[in-house]
Amino acid sequence: MAIFAAFGVGLYALSWVAAWSKPDLSWDGNAYHIPTINLWYGRGYIHWIQPVYDEGASWRYVINDLFNGYPKGFEALAFLLCRAFGCSNPVNTCNLIFLPLGVLSITAMAECLRVSRPIAWVCGLAFLLVPVNVSQGPTTYVDSALGSCIATACAATLHACSHYLRMRGRATAPWKTLVPLGASLGLAIGIKATGLPLSLLCITAVVFGSVVATLRSGDTLRLSTAHRVLPYLIGVVAMTLVVGGYWYVRDYIYMKNPLYPVELRVAGHVVFPGRPLNEVIAEENNTPALMAHWPDWKRVGYTWLQGIHADGWPRSIRYYDEREGGLGFLWLLAGVPAVVLCVLDSGRSLVRRGLRGTDDANLLFLLLLCVVGPLFVSAPMHWWARYTVWLHAAGLVALSLTLEAFRSSARLWPRLSAAVWAIVIGAVAMGEASYTFAWAAMTPHFVGPLRNPTSLREFFAALTDYDRMYMFPFIQPIGQAALSHPGAVAINMPGPRLGGLMGMISMPLGARKIVFLSEEVAADPVRFRQLREEQKIRYVFWCDKPILPGLAEFTSNERGPRWEYQPDYWYVLDVGPMPSAADANELPADDDAPRASSQGN
């Protein structure tokens, strides 16, 4: 147990080193999480991003949907940390800040179900080794943080229900759990809208727990029962809205839809305008071609098996958004069988002993499943591990209950079985976590290559060093100058392959101003010249498209080596004033001018 705990804590500490030392190497992080934080950072406060110039229809969609839409509680925390420290280093640390909440919550749930403290802590620390948590640790993806918040909400719900069950419904409301439950639900809805159904399920579970406690005491349900629960629930809802409701109010004020950009329909009628959920989350594009025509149960089974039967493992646990795995074999070898065993045991107890005779631990575990089960069923694309990492909240609690039951057995074989099972699970979890960590924290740039250090010095170098052109290592000299120059950089709407460029322009936070360049402006020399002067633009990235008339003068031969073309990617233009004659002598000769690169395909 000590070795397992030390390994988990050590890996967590090393994740902090990587997160603090390196930029975000994830795709979505650079496409819109980091740019959003940078745009706030440049203004000095959190605001609705709305350029004062014409950004064009394509950019308007990205700005409203990705930079402004969705709850932004995670990004707000990163922004506040960076402002507090006065640097960009904390921007990737938010998942690591939330992760201990998940560990403590799973431990607290296990102890609430009367599991011994050592087993409870070991199962809680196992949450650190889930591949999704390891891979998203040094990134600005929000799924790991959301999973920790959901685990915390489940723990607070379980303790509230435990309060009612212990007191047989005769006690006052569990006021001590109001702040933990309300705050965790508020953090969840502030990070992602998945927190909304979670809130409804947790509140329903508390009501159900109170009703069960009343019935077990032999009392009948009376109005006084509601009076004990209702003020508590009002307090929970108020706390939830105070902590996380701001983002929904903001979306309603600006877009007339608190769930923006998701459309809400009731009985076929549009209540809040937007786009269908499957379109917003790009379900068709995000589903691997292999799974496209599979039924839901087969997709879930495939990813829970980590794609091993299709030679997907261990690649399926390598990255922060892997679609073929990510929950790790910790879920399949420990969580799933433990949940099944606990459900069978709790169900048998309920049938044999009835509601009054059933042990509190059995009832509380069933209440936990009443939260996690419907949340899993209602989650979109719930075959995707990053969207369901919080399943481990139920799986690890069930594992703790099962190990405790085996350990406490009077017979030898259950105790031996538990020991062997725990050793196998621990070895597999540590092996998977090590592999995932190497790809998440020890690569110099986006998608590798993986380093294999042979000494402690090389190990820490791999943990902290990175390619300065980390998302696109083939960037040529003028592009490198654009990403190093402190000033304004204009960029047109990049295609899906080039979204990561936005994050590179945004780092370090506040160093460069992003100017959203539309095709309409780039097509008009007068309008572009006006925008260049007003926004003090020095460099332009023109992606995926031919040069338009407004930019043509900056690719003329008279400009010399002040522009370059990266085939299949972009033009980079230095649109600053022409240098003086003295400065011109310092420019590289024609033979040294940047050449078109053949890399990138």
Side-chain angles (χ1 to χ4, degrees):
M1 285 186 179
I3 295 174
F4 185 81
F7 180 87
V9 172
L11 200 69
Y12 174 74
L14 292 174
S15 296
W16 268 97
V17 175
W20 190 270
S21 304
K22 292 183 176 182
D24 189 349
L25 301 181
S26 71
W27 191 256
D28 282 7
N30 282 278
Y32 62 93
H33 293 294
I34 295 289
T36 299
I37 299 167
N38 178 58
L39 291 164
W40 291 346
Y41 201 92
R43 186 78 67 88
Y45 57 90
I46 296 169
H47 63 283
W48 186 269
I49 298 164
Q50 195 167 6
V52 296
Y53 50 87
D54 180 15
E55 72 275 30
S58 296
W59 267 125
R60 195 170 300 120
Y61 152 74
V62 172
I63 293 170
N64 285 337
D65 281 28
L66 298 181
F67 297 168
N68 289 323
Y70 303 109
K72 290 286 189 288
F74 184 95
E75 292 85 350
L77 176 60
F79 165 78
L80 293 173
L81 287 171
C82 292
R83 292 291 295 180
F85 281 89
C87 63
S88 301
N89 299 74
V91 75
N92 301 331
T93 63
C94 291
N95 280 312
L96 299 175
I97 291 172
F98 281 99
L99 203 49
L101 284 177
V103 172
L104 293 172
S105 299
I106 291 168
T107 303
M109 282 190 282
E111 291 192 355
C112 181
L113 301 183
R114 297 197 295 276
V115 173
S116 62
R117 182 157 294 180
I119 291 179
W121 270 104
V122 166
C123 290
L125 288 168
F127 194 61
L128 296 173
L129 306 183
V130 176
V132 170
N133 289 334
V134 176
S135 59
Q136 289 195 5
T139 74
T140 52
Y141 270 66
V142 305
D143 309 290
S144 177
L146 177 66
S148 295
C149 290
I150 291 176
T152 306
C154 288
T157 300
L158 223 61
H159 276 76
C161 293
S162 175
H163 171 87
Y164 284 119
L165 292 176
R166 285 198 317 270
M167 301 302 177
R168 295 293 186 263
R170 293 188 295 272
T172 58
W175 296 109
K176 290 183 179 179
T177 65
L178 188 152
V179 172
L181 180 55
S184 58
L185 291 176
L187 288 171
I189 70 170
I191 291 174
K192 215 167 190 177
T194 307
L196 295 174
L198 170 71
S199 301
L200 181 61
L201 289 167
C202 287
I203 289 172
T204 303
V206 171
V207 172
F208 191 65
S210 173
V211 170
V212 169
T214 302
L215 294 176
R216 290 181 75 191
S217 68
D219 292 343
T220 56
L221 295 175
R222 296 189 296 266
L223 191 59
S224 58
T225 305
H227 287 168
R228 286 197 296 267
V229 180
L230 192 58
Y232 171 79
L233 295 181
I234 291 173
V236 168
V237 171
M239 175 68 71
T240 301
L241 294 177
V242 166
V243 174
Y246 163 77
W247 306 103
Y248 299 87
V249 173
R250 187 178 88 139
D251 283 349
Y252 181 76
I253 291 173
Y254 284 97
M255 304 304 295
K256 306 305 179 187
N257 178 0
L259 302 176
Y260 186 83
V262 178
E263 175 188 73
L264 178 63
R265 284 177 175 265
V266 175
H269 298 285
V270 176
V271 179
F272 296 116
R275 294 184 292 136
L277 178 61
N278 62 334
E279 182 182 324
V280 170
I281 62 176
E283 183 172 358
E284 183 177 347
N285 291 335
N286 280 321
T287 302
L290 177 68
M291 303 184 196
H293 303 292
W294 288 358
D296 187 64
W297 66 267
K298 190 174 181 180
R299 294 179 183 179
V300 171
Y302 179 78
T303 56
W304 283 11
L305 286 167
Q306 311 305 303
I308 192 169
H309 61 289
D311 297 325
W313 188 88
R315 177 182 48 79
S316 59
I317 59 170
R318 183 179 294 178
Y319 298 123
Y320 43 82
D321 65 344
E322 280 292 355
R323 290 157 175 79
E324 295 184 334
L327 292 179
F329 280 110
L330 177 65
W331 171 244
L332 188 67
L333 299 180
V336 172
V339 168
V340 171
L341 289 173
C342 288
V343 167
L344 292 175
D345 181 62
S346 300
R348 183 180 60 181
S349 176
L350 197 59
V351 170
R352 287 184 177 181
R353 301 177 183 177
L355 192 60
R356 293 189 186 182
T358 302
D359 187 73
D360 285 359
N362 288 330
L363 287 175
L364 289 172
F365 181 75
L366 292 176
L367 283 172
L368 173 62
L369 291 187
C370 286
V371 174
V372 175
L375 189 63
F376 173 75
V377 172
S378 65
M381 300 173 69
H382 53 211
W383 51 265
W384 202 350
R386 58 177 281 217
Y387 286 164
T388 57
V389 64
W390 34 265
L391 282 172
H392 281 286
L396 291 171
V397 170
L399 178 63
S400 70
L401 281 169
T402 307
L403 291 177
E404 181 68 23
F406 284 7
R407 185 189 69 85
S408 304
S409 175
R411 290 177 292 180
L412 179 60
W413 75 263
R415 297 201 300 272
L416 287 177
S417 299
V420 172
W421 191 23
I423 291 171
V424 170
I425 292 168
V428 170
M430 289 190 291
E432 285 193 319
S434 299
Y435 178 85
T436 303
F437 177 80
W439 282 96
M442 301 182 67
T443 57
H445 51 72
F446 179 62
V447 299
L450 184 64
R451 293 179 175 178
N452 296 301
T454 58
S455 66
L456 190 62
R457 183 175 182 178
E458 289 182 6
F459 174 81
F460 279 100
L463 205 58
T464 56
D465 292 345
Y466 61 93
D467 190 320
R468 292 308 184 262
M469 298 294 114
Y470 48 93
M471 294 302 289
F472 302 98
F474 51 79
I475 292 179
Q476 298 178 17
I478 295 180
Q480 294 180 25
L483 296 172
S484 304
H485 174 76
V489 176
I491 181 172
N492 70 318
M493 172 64 184
R497 298 181 307 117
L498 307 181
L501 186 61
M502 291 292 294
M504 294 186 67
I505 297 174
S506 300
M507 290 292 285
L509 298 177
R512 279 171 291 283
K513 177 182 179 181
I514 299 175
V515 179
F516 304 107
L517 181 58
S518 68
E519 291 190 32
E520 293 79 8
V521 171
D524 186 333
V526 175
R527 292 181 66 187
F528 176 74
R529 197 173 297 115
Q530 181 182 3
L531 180 67
R532 184 191 65 165
E533 293 172 358
E534 290 176 352
Q535 301 299 322
K536 298 180 174 56
I537 299 171
R538 174 63 189 271
Y539 292 97
V540 173
F541 278 91
W542 186 254
C543 305
D544 285 330
K545 291 180 174 64
I547 287 292
L548 294 178
L551 305 176
E553 66 173 286
F554 299 101
T555 60
S556 64
N557 292 330
E558 289 78 8
R559 301 292 294 183
R562 299 190 64 190
W563 66 279
E564 61 194 14
Y565 174 54
Q566 190 83 41
D568 299 324
Y569 284 88
W570 50 62
Y571 290 87
V572 187
L573 314 176
D574 181 347
V575 299
M578 288 291 289
S580 64
D583 293 334
N585 293 331
E586 299 179 5
L587 292 173
D590 289 342
D591 290 341
D592 298 326
R595 306 295 183 187
S597 172
S598 61
Q599 302 178 38
N601 290 324

